[in-house]
Amino acid sequence: VIERFLYGDGAIRDLLPHPNLSLTIADFRQPHGLDRAIAGADAVVHLGAIAGDVACALDEDFALSTNVEGTNLVANLCRARGVARLVFASTCEGY
């Protein structure tokens, strides 16, 4: 998991102590943290996004940076590191 905890850790707090969970606290828009998180991965499931019209309208530049540029970075680093499978789940804001 790569997570910056923009909205806190409530969504995964109960999973944090799990011995098979590897956590990188970073912004997936930053290549260094993302590269650390995907190192050695066979597959990546990309769920990071600013979702919802209201949230995106609060800061359109941040939403575009996260949803478009960040997703492109994930895809490009996965390709460069030979990750065999990238699963991208998205809301309509990603399109």
Side-chain angles (χ1 to χ4, degrees):
V1 174
I2 181 171
E3 178 60 67
R4 67 181 275 189
F5 297 116
L6 182 64
Y7 301 108
D9 67 354
I12 66 169
R13 184 177 303 131
D14 293 343
L15 302 174
L16 294 175
H18 195 284
N20 292 330
L21 177 72
S22 173
L23 174 66
T24 299
I25 299 174
D27 185 334
F28 72 85
R29 297 172 304 155
Q30 301 301 317
H32 182 70
L34 181 59
D35 200 37
R36 262 193 341 256
I38 66 170
D42 297 321
V44 169
V45 179
H46 176 49
L47 302 173
I50 303 300
D53 292 339
V54 174
C56 289
L58 287 175
D59 188 339
E60 291 180 9
D61 291 335
F62 179 63
L64 285 171
S65 172
T66 300
N67 295 353
V68 177
E69 296 166 17
T71 297
N72 283 333
L73 181 60
V74 170
N76 290 333
L77 272 177
C78 284
R79 185 178 311 116
R81 299 296 177 255
V83 175
R85 179 168 291 168
L86 171 61
V87 177
F88 173 58
S90 179
T91 65
C92 63
E93 286 78 11
Y95 299 108

